[in-house]
Amino acid sequence: MQALVLEQKGKLSLREIDLPLEVGPGDVKIEIDTVGVCGSDVHYYTHGAIGPYVLREAMVLGHEAAGTVVEIGAQVNNLKVGDRVCMEPGIPNLSSRASKLGLYNVDPDVRFWATPPIHGVLAPYTVHPAAFTYKLPDNVSFEEGAMVEPFAIGMQAATRARLQPGDVAAVIGAGPIGIMVALAALAGGCARVFISDLSADKLKIAAQYPGIIPVNVREQPFADVIAEQTSGWGADVVFEASGSPKAYQGMFDLVRPGGAFVLVGLPVEPVPFDVASAISKEVRIETVFRYANIFDRALELIASGKVDLKPLITGTFDFSQSIAAFERAAAGHASDVKLQIKLKA
Ligand code: ZN
């Protein structure tokens, strides 16, 4: 079948490729409808690697997907043909130690779509375990379904933060993931979420949500604004969502004594940070790697109307225009939050 294939760094083609479509007893076959273009897909396209994951052979891109069930395995009883679904792109080994602990996202054997050498889903069909396939509520569109995956990262960050009602949060970076984190923090009970960036365009998109307060760090240091707004106390929770090494300079000035610092953004190189500052405030440091047991809860929030991701879908391309979609994403327009590819008209 036709798929969007990353042949090597910098070279994409839309071409025929053989992908396994055998439906095992616990699997479902899904006709793909919508796939979001993710920063990680774009990074493989432009750099050919993310940390230890290096592209060594042609790989189909795409891991933020929604579609329709067209076939079910003999043992599947939670889904039926015709169900509209979204999929969790990581498949862990369910008998691994990590899975048994409920931490299947950090199972060393997890197979994650569009992470070399595992193919992604920018293709008309895929086969996936029913256990990691989620029925979309009737009022949740395919486009929103394909937004669940990036939102799940924000939800995982909010969960790891152990937010309490009325918390004040600070989010460093107003890219797609920063905005997802801010929305999840609000849904998790934060009273106010400050978000910082250098780009006025990105901040404008974030600021359309009540409760999210934009801070342009070209105009004022983020720590000054947080100090001013919290009577010098600091934010209860700070989320690092930029991945920029610069964010690590003075990072603990943002957080209150006894607060939490949650690392979401992935810096490409090792970064130093000020341990003494963290210790003097007894800051709790948390990290986020993808998500576990989040998709159901993300869908609940979207279906309830408490979280509206639709304004973040800023561009839609036909499958035949997939390469153009990636070129657009790689150009990094500040006003593009999420570009999506529609496989079905
Ligand atoms: Zn993604």
Side-chain angles (χ1 to χ4, degrees):
M1 75 193 151
Q2 281 263 308
L4 183 70
V5 181
L6 179 59
E7 308 284 3
Q8 60 195 59
K9 174 179 145 181
K11 187 171 187 297
L12 285 169
S13 50
L14 199 54
R15 65 156 164 98
E16 287 292 320
I17 186 169
D18 264 343
L19 297 172
L21 285 176
E22 204 179 306
V23 180
D27 294 336
V28 290
K29 183 174 171 186
I30 299 142
E31 183 175 21
I32 303 288
D33 185 286
T34 305
V35 179
V37 177
C38 179
S40 70
D41 295 311
V42 175
H43 202 85
Y44 284 119
Y45 171 44
T46 54
H47 291 75
I50 296 180
Y53 304 102
V54 180
L55 184 79
R56 296 186 202 283
E57 53 198 78
M59 177 181 81
V60 177
L61 289 174
H63 63 262
E64 303 178 355
T68 305
V69 174
V70 291
E71 191 181 330
I72 63 170
Q75 282 162 23
V76 173
N77 45 31
N78 62 326
L79 291 167
K80 57 184 192 315
V81 170
D83 280 348
R84 300 160 57 255
V85 293
C86 66
M87 293 76 82
E88 198 168 342
I91 308 173
N93 169 358
L94 288 176
S95 41
S96 71
R97 241 172 126 159
S99 295
K100 286 195 284 183
L101 286 167
L103 306 170
Y104 63 84
N105 54 322
V106 289
D107 175 10
D109 293 333
V110 69
R111 295 164 53 84
F112 197 94
W113 285 341
T115 298
I118 311 297
H119 287 304
V121 289
L122 268 162
Y125 293 94
T126 195
V127 171
H128 203 57
F132 293 93
T133 303
Y134 301 83
K135 189 167 157 40
L136 298 179
D138 289 343
N139 65 342
V140 175
S141 65
F142 287 120
E143 294 77 19
E144 292 172 280
M147 294 290 276
V148 170
E149 196 276 340
F151 182 55
I153 296 167
M155 293 271 296
Q156 178 83 356
T159 305
R160 300 282 289 165
R162 293 185 236 143
L163 294 172
Q164 293 183 41
D167 272 350
V168 173
V171 180
I172 303 168
I177 293 299
I179 295 175
M180 297 295 179
V181 169
L183 290 174
L186 279 178
C190 283
R192 292 184 289 166
V193 179
F194 294 87
I195 189 164
S196 73
D197 209 280
L198 293 160
S199 159
D201 287 331
K202 290 185 183 178
L203 289 168
K204 205 172 126 192
I205 292 163
Q208 68 189 303
Y209 291 99
I212 300 184
I213 303 144
V215 177
N216 193 325
V217 291
R218 282 190 202 281
E219 291 158 14
Q220 213 181 351
F222 200 20
D224 289 6
V225 175
I226 296 299
E228 215 174 270
Q229 293 288 329
T230 60
S231 310
W233 177 237
D236 298 293
V237 178
V238 181
F239 297 94
E240 199 313 280
S242 72
S244 165
K246 287 200 191 99
Y248 285 75
Q249 293 162 15
M251 63 200 270
F252 298 114
D253 294 346
L254 294 163
V255 67
R256 70 162 167 87
F261 205 105
V262 184
L263 305 177
V264 190
L266 194 63
V268 283
E269 301 289 338
V271 289
F273 69 85
D274 183 356
V275 175
S277 296
I279 285 181
S280 67
K281 286 183 171 175
E282 206 172 63
V283 174
R284 176 167 57 85
I285 299 173
E286 300 279 354
T287 59
V288 172
F289 185 67
R290 297 170 180 158
Y291 33 72
N293 300 308
I294 294 285
F295 267 50
D296 291 299
R297 306 159 75 86
L299 282 168
E300 284 288 347
L301 278 172
I302 296 166
S304 74
K306 287 191 173 170
V307 171
D308 182 7
L309 302 175
K310 292 188 293 294
L312 303 177
I313 303 167
T314 50
T316 305
F317 293 73
D318 280 342
F319 187 40
S320 61
Q321 297 300 309
S322 297
I323 296 174
F326 271 80
E327 281 165 0
R328 167 95 194 180
H333 296 269
S335 55
D336 286 345
V337 183
K338 180 57 68 182
L339 304 179
Q340 290 188 331
I341 296 170
K342 292 289 285 181
L343 282 95
K344 290 194 72 185

